[in-house]
Amino acid sequence: EVCTSGLRYTRPVEQDRLPKPEVADGSNETNPRYSSQGGDGDYDYWGLPIAVACGGFGSILTMVASCITSLCRVGDSLIIYAVMLVVASTLHVVASVCLAINFFHKK
C-alpha cells in the first residue's frame, strides 16, 4: 500500500494485535489513548505458514502420484502411489484443521 508518507507494509504472520487493547480513561473518539499495546503473546495468524507448507506439499505430492500412476503398466505394484495419496490427503486435512482452529476458535 503506497501512502503519501511513503511505503507501508505489514507482516500478518508475525502480527500480535488480538485481542484489541483497552481504551484508557480520559480518551475520546478523536484522540484515542490505550492502556496497553494489545495482543496476548500468541501470533494472530499462526496457521498461515502451516497451511501454505502442508497444502503446497500435499498438492505437489498429489500431482506427482497422479502423473506416475498414469505411466504404470498393468500388474505394477501401486502401493507406493496409494501411500503418496494418503499422505497428501492427510496434509490437506492438517492444513484445513489449522486454518479452522486459527480463524474460528473462540477462547
Side-chain angles (χ1 to χ4, degrees), residues 4-38:
T4 57
S5 62
L7 183 65
R8 292 182 55 193
Y9 65 93
T10 181
R11 297 184 66 153
V13 173
E14 297 176 355
Q15 180 176 328
D16 179 25
R17 297 187 182 197
L18 296 175
K20 292 183 179 181
E22 295 180 13
V23 177
D25 293 335
S27 179
N28 56 34
E29 288 183 22
T30 58
N31 189 16
R33 288 184 292 163
Y34 300 100
S35 60
S36 67
Q37 292 287 343

Side-chain angles (χ1 to χ4, degrees), residues 54-69:
C54 290
F57 186 68
S59 297
I60 291 171
L61 199 60
T62 301
M63 289 186 288
V64 168
S66 299
C67 291
I68 290 176
T69 54

Side-chain angles (χ1 to χ4, degrees), residues 22-95:
E22 295 180 13
V23 177
D25 293 335
S27 179
N28 56 34
E29 288 183 22
T30 58
N31 189 16
R33 288 184 292 163
Y34 300 100
S35 60
S36 67
Q37 292 287 343
D40 56 1
D42 294 331
Y43 291 137
D44 297 336
Y45 302 112
W46 59 267
L48 291 177
I50 297 170
V52 167
C54 290
F57 186 68
S59 297
I60 291 171
L61 199 60
T62 301
M63 289 186 288
V64 168
S66 299
C67 291
I68 290 176
T69 54
S70 67
L71 300 174
C72 289
R73 297 184 192 140
V74 176
D76 286 347
S77 176
L78 297 178
I79 190 71
I80 189 70
Y81 309 116
V83 169
M84 288 172 70
L85 290 175
V86 168
V87 170
S89 299
T90 304
L91 288 171
H92 283 110
V93 169
V94 167

